Structure formats: C-alpha cells, structure tokens
Amino acid sequence: MMIMAGASLALLAATTAPAQRGGGGMSAATIEAVLKEPGRPSAAQGLDAARKPGQVLAFLGLRRGMVAADFITGTGYWAEILSRGVGPGGSVVAYQPEQFYNDPAGKFALDALQARNPNVTLTRYPFEALAPGEKRFDFAIINDSYHDLYWQSDRFRIPRADPAVFVKALFAMMKPGGVVGVIDHAANPGGDTREIVDKLHRIDPATVKADFEAAGFRLAATSDILAQPGDDHTKLIFDPVVRGKTDRFLFKFVKPR
C-alpha cells in the first residue's frame, strides 16, 4: 500500500516542475535565520525539525512584503513564521474556525501571537462557510488540515462541509499569480475520501489536486521535502507509531494571471 501511495505522488510530481524555490522568493537560509530571532515560543521551535519551514517556504516562494494567509491556523505556528518572513512591509491573516476557537490555551496562544507580531490579524469564521474576499492575498498556506473539510464531528460541532465551496472561496481571495501551499498527510490512493478522513485523518494527494484544479488553480510544483517513505498509510495519524512522522505531501498551487 505504501508503494501504491508513493507511485501516486510520483505520478503527480511527474507533471510538475521539480523546483525547490519559486518566483525569486527568499532562500531557506534567510528564512531559517529569521526563525532564530528571539520571541517564538519554545513549543513552536520544537516543531521546526519536522516541519522544515525554511525549506517549505523557500520552495513555495515566500517574499518580503507579501500579504499572506494561514488557514486553520491552530496556535499560529505558520502565521508567526509568515509574519517574520514577509516583514513589516507585509501582513498576515490567521484564519481560525469558530469551532476551534473555544479552548483557553488556544485563545491565549493566538492573543500572544498577535501581541508579538503587529502585522498579524486573526479572522474567525464558521468552519463550513469561508466567505470569499476579492483578490486579497499573494500567498496562503494550509498545513495538515485540508483533509478536515471532508470531516464531520458532532463533538466539535463540525457539520458536513463542501470542500469545493472552500476552494472556490480561496480562489476568489487570491490575487492573480498568488500561491497556495498545501501540506497534508498522505493516504493510499482510492477509496471514499470522507471515510478515509474520518478513520485516519489522511487524504489521497490526487483528491487535493483534483479539488484545486476544479476551482481554477494550477499545480505548479510538488516536493518530497516532507516525505516519510517508512510511514504506514493505513494508520491513524495520531497513532503513537506514526505520530509526528507521517508521510506528508507538499503542493504549490498558483492562481493563473
């Protein structure tokens, strides 16, 4: 099954450029230097080795002065890194679903994030109903959470959502030429996406590619920066055997000019 998933990723990669940087963006070394500046929480710094933010953002082509967005921001890990990357001449919107803005620790983390980073603002929205804005962003990232658009949960008050509505709204929010980076946990090819997400919190990379292309995005490049060939794609991502070591794909989508 792992071989099948690897073949699926290889097929997708074969249709795209193998670039490791995009559009004259910042180098990985420059981004990593910014990350070492004081102020980031130690918990966030502890995630850097696995998430490889310098390499990821260099691949996606982040530049100073961009207007960027971090969707389903969680505790704001990527929002803070984007804030430092785009610099004072740029800005970042951290999007957090209302359903996830309900625990004191998370609220404290996001309040502290904004206090440390004046160019970050928080926007809350219903998980299932992202409202489009017109051509606002140069750059956006969705980390390990796109699959949740196929998820339902009574416990977390997540109703059945339509991923196509989300991606269409995102398309409207991006400027022509804007970049969207998608990182997610790889599932084996085939099967019912909602069932796989409910059971494993993984998604077939081909499903993500199809969703974004249907909305008008172009898959500009893929990367194996976050690949973990030894991952068992049949295990839940929270299983102790694979947690923090899942095989993740990285896609760079672009809104055509």
Side-chain angles (χ1 to χ4, degrees), residues 129-141:
L130 177 67
E134 287 301 317
K135 301 178 182 177
R136 181 178 182 185
F137 296 113
D138 303 294
F139 187 98
I141 193 165

Side-chain angles (χ1 to χ4, degrees), residues 13-122:
T15 66
T16 61
Q20 293 300 301
R21 291 180 60 186
M26 304 166 68
S27 69
T30 299
I31 296 166
E32 287 162 4
V34 170
L35 297 184
K36 293 176 182 177
E37 295 174 359
R40 290 178 68 220
S42 57
Q45 295 179 51
L47 298 172
D48 291 348
R51 295 191 176 184
K52 303 180 181 179
Q55 294 180 61
V56 167
L57 295 179
F59 166 76
L60 294 173
L62 185 71
R63 298 193 304 274
R64 303 291 279 184
M66 279 183 159
V67 180
D70 176 24
F71 287 93
I72 312 182
T73 191
T75 57
Y77 172 89
W78 283 103
E80 182 151 34
I81 294 173
L82 291 174
S83 166
R84 294 180 175 217
V86 301
S91 61
V92 178
V93 180
Y95 282 89
Q96 182 75 332
E98 291 283 1
Q99 291 93 325
F100 296 163
Y101 192 76
N102 57 10
D103 88 271
K107 291 179 180 179
F108 175 82
L110 290 173
D111 288 345
L113 166 74
Q114 293 180 92
R116 290 192 304 272
N117 302 277
N119 62 345
V120 174
T121 58
L122 175 68

